[in-house]
Amino acid sequence: MGFFSTERFEWRIGLRYTRAGKRSMRNGFISFSSMSSMLGIGLGVAALIIVMSVMNGFQKEVRDRMLSVLAHIEVFDGRASEGAPDPAALQPWAEQIGKHPQVRGIAPFVEAQAMLMNGETLRGVLVRGIVPQQEAKVSEIHKQMRQGGLDLLKDGSFHVVLGRELARILRVEVGDKITIIAPQGQVTPAGVSPRLKQFTVMGLFDSGHYEFDSTFAYIALGDAQKLFRDASPLGLRVKIADMQQAPEVSKELAQSLPAASYVRDWTSQNRSWFAAVKTEKRMMFIILSIIVAVAAFNLVSTLVMTVTDKQADIAILRTLGASPASIMQIFIIQGSLIGLLGAAGGVIFGVLVALNVGSIVSFIEGLAGVQFLPKDIYLISSMPSDLHWEDVIYTAAIAIALSFAATIYPSLRAARVRPAEALRYE
């Protein structure tokens, strides 16, 4: 026992078994098995990191593009009014909202559904009346203009700015005329007829979000009030410093504003979509963790083969005074090293791919001549990636923990080897 108490031989032997020499066909197979287990763990870890990063990127990309068009918070005036509502009536509300420390911008708006017509082509859209100079405080739409500009939207001009996809569907370009049909009819001697008004297309925007680019139209606030009159309530769009705090801020604003107000935030407008993405991300993590578990438990067969092949070595160590605990440590070290090296390789490979997945996918698309993400299906056209280091840490920790768990049975089996029986035929 003196020899074993002065030198930690378990680490040297465990490392030697991990490398597994090639003095025999069996040892060569054990070496191959160890390498395959290591590669399996590494690929499982890399796959989990890459998939989680892509899902994070998809969620972030769609959310950011949504919020480039949508407001963080919207406040509506629920008070009944005759004729077009007066924006000045909401000035006291705007002053009250502006006192909140999170608020960074406020802009009035009117929003209503309508039909756009060009010849025989009809399209249902969401028409938003804005004040261009103030809209820049709450959205990024002014930065997404591809032709024309929001500054051309002036009261009485009856100009309209369309999403690029919407313009393509309607087959119109800048300078063309389109007709906006308000759903609220007007009473005439001949009966109720829809309210129509011809507008001139003065700009095209591209938010990168197909749903918005194909269903949104912007007009001047005054023109929207004339078109929709009292059918659509006047509201305020609010931008805050931290969009993740929108639910809390909206509740605080609702408490400070009159009872006639109605407040909603961006999370409530898209609650089902974000809940679906969160559930999908959780399920994908569980599924890919099972793949990592399968790769990790391949270590069981590798270590059992090693124990069987090294029974004579184990018996000699036992006769020299090694304890069963020391024998267990040898194979725990071997399996843990395989898991650690596999997890480390998987983390390095996964992080490198996650940080460059957009370029990699673009290269493959160009090489194969295909598009993996059609805009009309996936809302975005490029593969996004958002690497979260907590995901990397969780993934590596799971792989290492599963690898350690896989070493328990083979290590116990090695500790139970009887030296006399093992050396009987040597």
Side-chain angles (χ1 to χ4, degrees), residues 39-79:
L39 289 176
I41 294 171
L43 290 176
V45 169
L48 186 51
I49 291 173
I50 294 168
V51 170
M52 297 301 291
S53 298
V54 170
M55 295 193 70
N56 291 333
F58 180 82
Q59 183 178 8
K60 180 178 183 297
E61 190 76 13
V62 174
R63 181 194 65 202
D64 291 348
R65 295 190 182 192
M66 280 183 176
L67 294 180
S68 69
V69 178
L70 301 177
H72 294 168
I73 298 174
E74 293 178 343
V75 180
F76 294 95
D77 185 359
R79 295 170 295 186

Side-chain angles (χ1 to χ4, degrees), residues 76-226:
F76 294 95
D77 185 359
R79 295 170 295 186
S81 60
E82 296 182 0
D86 184 8
L90 291 185
Q91 186 59 34
W93 291 17
E95 294 176 356
Q96 181 65 32
I97 294 172
K99 295 178 181 178
H100 196 284
Q102 280 276 351
V103 174
R104 295 294 181 269
I106 306 172
F109 79 107
V110 169
E111 192 172 83
Q113 293 183 347
M115 296 288 292
L116 264 61
M117 181 174 65
N118 179 41
E120 296 182 356
T121 304
L122 285 171
R123 179 74 174 183
V125 299
L126 194 64
V127 179
R128 179 177 292 169
I130 62 171
V131 178
Q133 296 76 13
Q134 299 185 41
E135 182 66 17
K137 300 177 182 178
V138 297
S139 74
E140 303 294 326
I141 194 67
H142 61 287
K143 298 179 181 179
Q144 299 167 348
M145 297 299 302
R146 298 297 177 262
Q147 291 180 260
L150 290 180
D151 56 333
L152 299 175
L153 301 180
K154 299 179 180 179
D155 292 346
S157 64
F158 295 101
H159 292 164
V160 62
V161 171
L162 306 178
R164 177 177 287 182
E165 292 296 326
L166 179 59
R168 181 187 61 81
I169 294 171
L170 294 172
R171 297 193 294 274
V172 296
E173 298 179 355
V174 173
D176 292 344
K177 302 285 187 180
I178 62 171
T179 301
I180 298 181
I181 306 174
Q184 301 80 21
Q186 55 186 1
V187 180
T188 65
V192 179
S193 62
R195 191 177 298 125
L196 309 176
K197 184 63 182 178
Q198 194 173 63
F199 283 73
T200 304
V201 178
M202 298 303 293
L204 303 177
F205 71 89
D206 185 0
S207 68
H209 192 296
Y210 180 82
E211 181 181 353
F212 294 146
D213 293 340
S214 62
T215 59
F216 263 76
Y218 288 88
I219 62 178
L221 180 63
D223 294 345
Q225 291 180 294
K226 293 177 182 178

